[in-house]
Amino acid sequence: MIILVHSAQTENSIRSSMGLPDYSYYFVLKKFRDVLRQFATVVEIRNPQRDADILYKSCRARKEPCLFLSFTPPFKTVIGLECPTLSVFAWEYWTIPTDVWGDDPRNDWRHVFRQHGRAITHSSFAVNAVRKEMGDDFPIWSIPAPVWDSYVKFYKKGKTPDPAEGFDLTVGGTFVDFNGCEVPLLPRDCQEEYAQQRTFPKKGQPEGNILRLSGIVYTAVFNPDDGRKNFIDIIKGYIWAFRELQDVTLILKVVHHDFEETRRVLTYEISQLTPFKCRVVILHGYLNDDAYTALVRATTYVVNAAYGEGQCLPLMEFMSAGKPAIAPGHTAMEDYIREDNAFVVQSNLEKTLWPDDPSGALRTMRYRINWESLYHAYLKSYQTAKNAPALYARMADCAVESLRKYCSKAVVTERLKMVFVHCGVPAEDLASPVPQQDDPALFIPLLKIRFFDFFLKKQIFIRKKMAAVSQKVLYYSRIGYGRLKKSVTFLPVI
């Protein structure tokens, strides 16, 4: 079997695209890829409108099953292909978009689902949202990204937080260290300079600074441009709870391409809460696997206060490594957040709009966080880590077990088999692992795709050169015409 996969970002573009719309779909594809390779040869395509059917027709000619999994939101997924297509998407609102805007029928998600006939999402919450519009018999599966196996190896059963133990985190990017702030009031025009004094590395210094962490460490991973993440409540709840304590740290691991903008926004929120003695660290930049692993190990609790989640990879990863959470139990998180593995934050429904809907009409709902509940969750979690090591150990055990049942490779593998059988793949083809090697039957169609890509790049290059030459010709013609006009006054202005 051949499985075609696609996301808007690639390994080459993801670093410069962190925090941009739909950037996280690349990471979801990356998590799925290893499991998909158990069943099939996986081919990543860049131009699905063109490439999917080229490869599908080649497979059909030799009677080999071929499916296309597009790791994109439904309204950005190609329709009208001959190749059987499934959108693999995340969703965190009560209802799916059912209006058309921008002259694109795909903005009505029902149109896409009718074209494809099936879909994959990451939570039972999203399944229910789709079936409200498509009917209870619509074939859609909840299959989360398989992260558990990669992170459970960092879990040490029975290990409890030791406030005296320190961790050295080598930061390849930039970080801002607010190790307490005694200034009663930090005026807006002083905030940038104050943050610069606490930014590392300094200008001219090489990257790779050591960030020393100790005490109780809370970590939140989010994109500050994504209002759904509700990072303001995370910051305010933490500082209000621990303003008189020095043995706690909040790591704000921000996923965004613009450091200056990130620092400005977060510094403003932090400065509104001065003075305080607790520590807040803004950690910016891409973390490689080793650095991210070190961050997970140094963390005592992972924190989430979102209005809604499609699945929340960071929360799943930290909990798979045995880190209890502070988080609400709504949307996708209702599949794995519970009282035995987290300090559950209360929330209530409120009206909101669909993302990307230009009308701004309030046609769906999200969950508003109860700030007092978040505040008390911080206090309870601190007391547990400091004074109840047995309870903390039980919560860590429960976090690992809950995530095993939710997003382990074994669970994901069985659910994918259900999808493939539904799509007509013989069950016997799924019984044994597929050796990973280049499929010689794909040589010609892949060569054809590379041929198209080569000429497309050449065409784009030539167009840019021609545009640049045209600009220069126009520029110099205007200079010459201007000189002529000085001597012939009746010429019109161009």
Side-chain angles (χ1 to χ4, degrees), residues 284-336:
H284 180 270
Y286 182 82
L287 295 182
N288 61 30
D289 290 344
D290 290 340
Y292 191 73
T293 298
L295 177 60
V296 172
R297 284 177 165 169
T299 296
T300 313
Y301 294 103
V302 58
V303 186
N304 182 294
Y307 298 126
E309 288 286 2
Q311 62 175 330
C312 194
L313 286 179
L315 189 59
M316 293 159 56
E317 290 163 350
F318 278 72
M319 293 184 72
S320 295
K323 306 300 178 179
I326 295 175
H330 58 55
T331 54
M333 295 178 287
E334 67 186 13
D335 285 340
Y336 58 91

Side-chain angles (χ1 to χ4, degrees), residues 330-392:
H330 58 55
T331 54
M333 295 178 287
E334 67 186 13
D335 285 340
Y336 58 91
I337 290 290
R338 50 185 60 93
E339 296 287 347
D340 62 3
N341 63 26
F343 295 92
V344 181
V345 178
Q346 300 304 308
S347 59
N348 302 95
L349 282 170
E350 66 177 359
K351 294 290 288 183
T352 191
L353 62 154
W354 290 315
D356 304 304
D357 183 355
S359 73
L362 302 178
R363 293 177 177 164
T364 188
M365 289 189 283
R366 67 179 186 181
Y367 286 86
R368 181 178 64 249
I369 294 300
N370 182 314
W371 186 88
E372 184 180 6
S373 174
L374 175 61
Y375 169 77
H376 285 294
Y378 275 121
L379 295 176
K380 291 177 183 176
S381 66
Y382 177 83
Q383 292 300 325
T384 298
K386 291 278 286 188
N387 304 318
L391 175 58
Y392 180 91

Side-chain angles (χ1 to χ4, degrees), residues 106-179:
R106 294 180 300 175
N107 286 317
D108 179 349
W109 287 20
R110 297 172 301 181
H111 178 74
V112 178
F113 294 142
R114 290 179 189 128
Q115 291 280 319
H116 293 163
R118 59 191 75 85
I120 294 174
T121 187
H122 304 305
S123 70
S124 55
F125 177 87
V127 168
N128 293 333
V130 171
R131 284 180 172 164
K132 286 176 187 176
E133 298 295 338
M134 300 301 297
D136 292 339
D137 58 345
F138 181 74
I140 179 170
W141 294 266
S142 170
I143 309 179
V147 305
W148 182 83
D149 300 76
S150 298
Y151 286 87
V152 68
K153 58 189 176 185
F154 306 125
Y155 171 58
K156 294 183 179 179
K157 187 176 178 62
K159 181 174 175 55
T160 56
D162 181 359
E165 183 179 7
F167 293 88
D168 287 334
L169 182 63
T170 302
V171 180
T174 309
F175 65 91
V176 187
D177 191 354
F178 295 95
N179 199 351

